[in-house]
Amino acid sequence: MNLYLVHGNTWFEGYGYEEHVFGVFTSREKAEEAKIVTEKRLQEEKRMIDDPEDVKLDILEVKADERIDEYLGGYVE
């Protein structure tokens, strides 16, 4: 079974990166719907966004019950 992880960066206030997970879905269609709704919500809620196009979430497709080593993102100094 494939699972679809909706995730993305939610830090828009200068340098840095905060990766968040917004849901795990059993169909690509449900994940796409959640991605669109969440991007719109973030665009409305975050006041520090210079350009609403900066809000971009991703969908990662993974197989259930299998080990993976997937980098989701982040920022370190």
Side-chain angles (χ1 to χ4, degrees):
M1 169 193 287
N2 289 336
L3 298 174
Y4 302 89
L5 176 76
V6 179
H7 66 97
N9 177 26
T10 60
W11 182 258
F12 304 103
E13 300 178 32
Y15 295 109
Y17 193 100
E18 287 186 343
E19 184 76 16
H20 285 256
V21 173
F22 297 100
V24 179
F25 301 90
T26 56
S27 75
R28 167 76 74 183
E29 293 78 23
K30 288 180 183 178
E32 290 287 350
E33 288 174 20
K35 178 180 177 275
I36 292 167
V37 168
T38 305
E39 284 175 340
K40 287 181 183 176
R41 182 180 56 99
L42 288 171
Q43 289 169 350
E44 293 169 359
E45 289 179 0
K46 300 287 186 177
R47 289 170 178 57
M48 298 300 290
I49 298 174
D50 294 329
D51 183 0
E53 293 297 314
D54 288 343
V55 178
K56 290 189 170 64
L57 302 182
D58 294 313
I59 297 175
L60 175 65
E61 181 178 345
V62 297
K63 297 230 181 263
D65 299 327
E66 288 188 14
R67 267 189 34 79
I68 64 169
D69 183 6
E70 184 73 32
Y71 177 73
L72 295 178
Y75 176 79
V76 294
E77 270 188 42

